[in-house]
């Protein structure tokens, strides 16, 4: 039984068949979803540009703030190297708008409340906190080249030094 069949049998509402299926060299799945300002944003909007697509668990939490602020603090360097930055979490537009404003983030944060992008990129899974297992977003960054291919996947994100990981 494959993952898609198992998901149907277990009545899982999201497609789990892509979990850990994306690899370096694969075409990055496209998406169209609203950002912190309620405007539609698609990966195809960035065609011809390098993209840092980072998935994080929750707005305004210590690790997520450190990661986002590290990208903010190095944003001009990333832009000079031709990168666009896009953040994604399951928080809603209102939460994202507060997060962007509070920390002066200069890039789009996408509100994936239905987990469409999260599932396409296979970053939803089992996590553990204080010995308790639960399901959530697995902090992951995808570096996508100008042709829309995945160039690098960072799964062991160092939140306070993430830009160095991306550029190394």
């Amino acid at each position: 039984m494959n993952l898609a069949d198992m998901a149907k049998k277990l009545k899982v509402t999201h497609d789990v068949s892509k979990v850990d299926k994306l690899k370096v060299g694969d075409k990055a799945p496209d998406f169209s979803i609203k950002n912190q300002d309620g405007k539609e944003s698609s990966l195809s909007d960035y065609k011809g540009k390098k993209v840092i697509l980072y998935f994080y668990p929750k707005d305004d939490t210590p690790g997520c703030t450190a990661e986002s602020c590290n990208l903010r603090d190095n944003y001009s360097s990333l832009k000079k190297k031709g990168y666009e930055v896009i953040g994604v979490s399951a928080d809603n537009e209102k939460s994202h708008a507060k997060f962007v404003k509070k920390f002066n983030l200069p890039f789009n944060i996408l509100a994936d409340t239905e987990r469409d992008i999260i599932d396409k990129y296979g970053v939803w899974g089992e996590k553990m906190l204080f010995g308790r297992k639960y399901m959530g977003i697995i902090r992951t960054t995808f570096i996508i080249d100008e042709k829309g291919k995945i160039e690098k996947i960072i799964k062991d994100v160092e939140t306070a030094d993430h830009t160095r990981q991306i550029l190394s």
Side-chain angles (χ1 to χ4, degrees):
M1 179 180 294
N2 68 28
L3 283 174
D5 292 336
M6 195 181 284
K8 282 181 188 171
K9 185 175 182 179
L10 296 172
K11 297 181 180 163
V12 174
T13 57
H14 296 282
D15 180 11
V16 295
S17 62
K18 287 185 173 43
V19 174
D20 283 334
K21 296 282 184 178
L22 290 177
K23 297 178 220 47
V24 169
D26 288 349
K27 181 168 176 38
D30 198 6
F31 53 78
S32 185
I33 202 155
K34 291 185 179 178
N35 69 9
Q36 72 276 0
D37 299 321
K39 295 179 183 167
E40 284 291 317
S41 183
S42 301
L43 182 59
S44 55
D45 295 341
Y46 299 89
K47 191 174 184 170
K49 297 179 181 182
K50 296 185 278 188
V51 174
I52 297 165
L53 181 65
Y54 77 103
F55 292 86
Y56 65 94
K58 187 123 183 81
D59 289 341
D60 210 1
T61 56
C64 300
T65 300
E67 180 181 16
S68 297
C69 289
N70 177 264
L71 294 169
R72 175 205 63 204
D73 294 346
N74 294 284
Y75 187 65
S76 61
S77 308
L78 293 168
K79 290 288 282 183
K80 283 178 189 169
K81 293 191 180 289
Y83 288 103
E84 295 290 336
V85 178
I86 306 169
V88 180
S89 87
D91 294 309
N92 64 32
E93 295 165 38
K94 185 176 178 182
S95 175
H96 284 339
K98 285 180 187 174
F99 187 52
V100 165
K101 184 177 181 181
K102 182 176 180 179
F103 294 102
N104 198 27
L105 302 178
F107 42 80
N108 279 328
I109 303 289
L110 306 183
D112 193 10
T113 57
E114 300 296 316
R115 289 193 359 221
D116 293 330
I117 306 170
I118 292 163
D119 288 342
K120 282 181 181 179
Y121 281 79
V123 296
W124 184 263
E126 188 175 87
K127 299 170 67 168
M128 188 176 297
L129 182 64
F130 304 118
R132 184 179 68 84
K133 290 181 182 181
Y134 65 100
M135 299 298 286
I137 294 173
I138 299 165
R139 189 183 310 276
T140 309
T141 298
F142 294 83
I143 310 302
I144 302 166
D145 71 14
E146 299 90 339
K147 295 178 183 173
K149 300 273 185 183
I150 298 171
E151 191 173 272
K152 184 176 183 179
I153 302 171
I154 304 169
K155 292 185 177 188
D156 189 17
V157 173
E158 295 174 28
T159 58
D161 199 18
H162 196 37
T163 301
R164 182 197 51 77
Q165 285 183 295
I166 291 165
L167 296 177
S168 64

